[in-house]
Amino acid sequence: MEFDLSQQPEIVQQAYGYAVQAWELAMSWLLSPEAWSQFGLLVLAWLLAGLISRRMRPALARVIDPGEKENLFSTPRRFLLQFLPLISPLLAYALTGIGESIVRSLFDSGAVIAFGKRVFLFLAARALVRDIITDPFLKLLGRYILLPIMAIYTVGLLDVVSARLSETIVGVGNIRFSLMTLVRGIIAGSLLFWLGQWSNSQTTALIAQNKEMRPSIRQLLIKTAEFTIFAIAFLLLMNILGIDLTTLAVLGGAIGVGLGFGLQKIASNFISGVILLVEGQATVGDYVELDGGEQGKIVKMMARAAILETFDGRWIVVPNEDFITTRVVNYSDSGSANRYEAPFSVSYDTDINKIPPLIEAAVASHPEVLDVPYPPDCELRGFGESGIDFAVEFWVNGLDDGPNKYTSDVLFLIWNALKDAGVEIPYPQRVVEIKGGLPKETP
């Protein structure tokens, strides 16, 4: 049955032509003894591969699976264990390849065999995406890129589709490229992006395990590795797309001009960040206070800025340049102890000579108060209006008024010690003198 499609669009005519060719090919296979013999060989190869796979997979699993043992080969063996679902389709492909040479020698034809081999490869790709790949991004690529390509390859249209995509040219401004280049760029860019992310995470974990390095040096190495990995990925992508890398010199010049004018602060903050990581003046985990009043724990250091987390949970973004050009107080540098003081007062009726040893002993009983560099020290500060003013100085490894409440604990200890010793804690008192006496009541 033929149809007159001369008035239809070209794509409709081409689709009709491919449909007619497929119909003629299917009819020739159905009426050909050679084709039926090849179909039989494909079915036999698939059944035999399934039988061998059911017997082989448990044995291979027992040999490859390392169990709970941890050694140099444990990780590679667990990696190989994931690919056992591919045994059946790949074995069917191999058995079909052996039978193909026999069929071609007998019938001088192997079109059905070739089609069956492509089907087995498609089944292997489907098993790879469905049963083996666990990464969400790679599974997405396999589902929407690998499987469609394998389906086109299975029906024998991969060369036709590739040629059509290569002939179709699109342009964006002065840039012109083929759809094949665009598809190749999307596939290569996706794979390189994932590989860069994976390599960066592995490198970061490896560097973070080295506790002998200073934290600032580890951060610098992590940032350097990240920049290097993605720079290599970018250059590889440009090479795959066929873009001349010499043209990047123009882009580099433009970036240089931009840095000279509009990106001065960004460049300054980036360089300041590198200096911070090299010198180690402040690093992740330090509690710092800047000259502008910003204070908090450094939770993240980026190329442009550092993030401080305050005790009340707020995040403050501080440009790296502020750490270089302003005064910075680092309370956590080298794990040094910090000194705090707790003021209090006693009544004028108290024997003040007994107060320092009493309070020093009470404060020293706190488990977090240090004897080094100095033990607790109670000092007389002055004679107030309502009582005698004292203050006790103490050293602790940590920061007060955050996760730790050292001053509050010390004040509790002072209160209890004074109460146990019978020392009165004064409260404000005022004496009011009325000159001339009280006014007389008029009748």
Side-chain angles (χ1 to χ4, degrees):
M1 181 180 295
E2 296 185 0
F3 300 94
D4 184 10
L5 302 177
S6 59
Q7 302 300 324
Q8 300 298 325
E10 182 182 357
I11 187 171
V12 176
Q13 298 180 27
Q14 291 180 350
Y16 176 73
Y18 290 135
V20 171
Q21 293 179 13
W23 174 258
E24 294 177 350
L25 180 61
M27 293 303 297
S28 65
W29 284 359
L30 291 174
L31 300 177
S32 172
E34 295 87 352
W36 280 105
S37 63
Q38 295 177 53
F39 277 122
L41 181 61
L42 292 175
V43 173
L44 179 62
W46 178 255
L47 294 176
L48 185 59
L51 178 62
I52 297 175
S53 175
R54 280 195 297 269
R55 295 181 176 274
M56 183 183 296
R57 283 183 61 174
L60 287 176
R62 287 192 297 268
V63 173
I64 298 176
D65 189 5
E68 298 181 357
K69 297 180 180 179
E70 293 295 337
N71 51 47
L72 183 62
F73 301 101
S74 297
T75 301
R77 290 171 66 180
R78 291 191 182 98
F79 179 75
L80 290 176
L81 195 63
Q82 302 177 89
F83 292 91
L84 291 182
L86 296 180
I87 291 179
S88 182
L90 293 181
L91 189 58
Y93 178 86
L95 294 174
T96 305
I98 297 173
E100 182 181 13
S101 59
I102 301 174
V103 171
R104 288 188 180 276
S105 63
L106 294 176
F107 301 106
D108 195 22
S109 174
V112 178
I113 286 287
F115 174 75
K117 291 173 63 178
R118 295 195 296 268
V119 170
F120 292 147
L121 286 180
F122 174 80
L123 294 176
R126 190 186 67 168
L128 177 67
V129 175
R130 184 187 61 188
D131 302 327
I132 298 175
I133 297 178
T134 57
D135 184 84
F137 184 73
L138 287 182
K139 188 176 283 290
L140 183 69
L141 291 181
R143 186 176 300 164
Y144 294 104
I145 294 180
L146 177 60
L147 291 183
I149 291 176
M150 291 302 299
I152 296 173
Y153 170 73
T154 300
V155 298
L157 296 178
L158 185 60
D159 293 337
V160 176
V161 174
S162 299
R164 177 65 61 168
L165 292 176
S166 299
E167 294 171 358
T168 305
I169 305 298
V170 295
V172 178
N174 296 327
I175 303 176
R176 300 180 62 82
F177 51 87
S178 66
L179 285 179
M180 189 64 188
T181 302
L182 179 61
V183 172
R184 188 167 59 239
I186 293 174
I187 297 174
S190 300
L191 291 176
L192 288 174
F193 171 79
W194 178 85
L195 185 60
Q197 288 283 76
W198 180 81
S199 301
N200 183 52
S201 62
Q202 295 296 317
T203 305
T204 300
L206 183 63
I207 296 175
Q209 291 176 357
N210 194 337
K211 301 301 182 182
E212 297 180 358
M213 294 184 185
R214 290 190 319 183
S216 59
I217 298 298
R218 290 202 300 267
Q219 288 291 325
L220 179 61
L221 291 178
I222 289 172
K223 294 298 181 184
T224 303
E226 181 179 3
F227 176 79
T228 303
I229 288 171
F230 283 101
I232 294 174
F234 174 76
L235 294 177
L236 288 175
L237 181 59
M238 293 298 102
N239 189 35
I240 291 172
L241 294 177
I243 298 176
D244 189 2
L245 296 180
T246 57
T247 58
L248 296 179
V250 179
L251 179 61
I255 293 176
V257 174
L259 291 175
F261 291 97
L263 303 178
Q264 294 183 29
K265 282 293 184 181
I266 295 178
S268 175
N269 286 319
F270 178 79
I271 296 173
S272 299
V274 175
I275 294 174
L276 281 174
L277 292 175
V278 172
E279 295 185 351
Q281 297 177 359
T283 186
V284 174
D286 290 352
Y287 188 90
V288 297
E289 179 180 358
L290 275 67
D291 205 19
E294 302 90 350
Q295 58 179 326
K297 180 181 178 181
I298 301 177
V299 295
K300 191 174 184 180
M301 297 192 71
M302 302 178 293
R304 187 191 64 85
I307 296 179
L308 307 184
E309 183 179 12
T310 62
F311 283 139
D312 53 5
R314 293 178 298 172
W315 279 20
I316 304 174
V317 180
V318 181
N320 290 329
E321 186 181 12
D322 291 357
F323 288 90
I324 303 298
T325 59
T326 62
R327 182 180 62 90
V328 179
V329 179
N330 192 336
Y331 291 93
S332 306
D333 186 29
S334 300
S336 58
N338 297 302
R339 190 193 72 176
Y340 299 97
E341 66 176 41
F344 65 97
S345 299
V346 298
S347 171
Y348 275 99
D349 296 332
T350 305
D351 183 2
I352 61 175
N353 296 305
K354 299 179 180 179
I355 297 300
L358 174 68
I359 298 302
E360 290 171 358
V363 175
S365 65
H366 192 285
E368 301 295 332
V369 174
L370 304 176
D371 291 331
V372 178
Y374 301 102
D377 181 25
C378 184
E379 300 177 350
L380 176 65
R381 291 296 173 88
F383 301 99
E385 296 180 356
S386 303
I388 303 174
D389 298 329
F390 284 88
V392 59
E393 298 175 348
F394 58 95
W395 289 76
V396 291
N397 273 326
L399 299 172
D400 195 15
D401 200 30
N404 308 303
K405 301 290 185 180
Y406 297 122
T407 303
S408 175
D409 293 344
V410 168
L411 288 174
F412 270 106
L413 292 173
I414 293 173
W415 173 274
N416 293 327
L418 294 178
K419 284 294 183 181
D420 293 342
V423 177
E424 180 183 354
I425 300 176
Y427 52 88
Q429 302 180 17
R430 295 289 184 270
V431 177
V432 180
E433 179 181 355
I434 301 175
K435 293 185 177 181
L438 296 173
K440 296 180 179 181
E441 183 179 357
T442 57

